Amino acid sequence: QVQLVESGGDSVAPGGSLRLSCVVARNTNNAVSSMGWFRQAPDKTREGVAGISGSGTLSRVADAVKDRFIISRDSAKNAVYLEMKNLKPEDSAVYYCAARGRYSSLDALVADAYNHWGQGTQVTVSS
């Protein structure tokens, strides 16, 4: 079994920053290694934001946010982070952590490529 627990969502003003965290609380038989962050705003499809390999040496960030978002991981803490700066109202969404086995940059931002999901954490950017 795999259990992912996100945290860090909040309400911030435009231009603000947040750091989302995702802890792999359970990873039976080391089923997962690569991780991703996705987001979904009301009435929109789930969008890939960033993905990272199990070692942390490979990553991909969506073009729309690559100058503002950074994905990283701390293997010792079984955690993956999404650093977000200069937040905009259009960044408002529920952010989900996802996990899968082997990393591939080709589909690192494709939701269907992941088979384990966290419960989501709300990010609201408004003045």
Side-chain angles (χ1 to χ4, degrees), residues 11 20 56 93 95:
S11 294
L20 305 183
Y95 283 71

Side-chain angles (χ1 to χ4, degrees), residues 18-20 37 49-50 69-71 80-84 95:
L18 283 175
R19 187 177 83 154
L20 305 183
W37 283 100
V49 177
F69 290 11
I70 297 173
I71 187 171
V80 176
Y81 307 101
L82 185 68
E83 301 272 358
M84 306 184 293
Y95 283 71

Side-chain angles (χ1 to χ4, degrees), residues 2-6 21-27 31-38 49-56 58-60 71-75 78-82 96-104 107-110 113-118:
V2 176
Q3 183 180 11
L4 308 175
V5 181
E6 301 109 327
S21 299
C22 174
V23 173
V24 184
R26 186 181 302 153
N27 186 11
V32 299
S33 59
S34 63
M35 308 288 290
W37 283 100
F38 292 78
V49 177
I52 191 167
S53 65
S55 65
L58 301 173
S59 66
R60 182 177 174 185
I71 187 171
S72 63
R73 69 186 303 160
D74 184 337
S75 296
N78 291 324
V80 176
Y81 307 101
L82 185 68
Y96 296 92
C97 175
R100 61 173 179 172
R102 190 173 182 177
Y103 176 84
S104 170
D107 58 5
L109 305 182
V110 177
Y114 294 79
N115 46 13
H116 301 281
W117 293 83

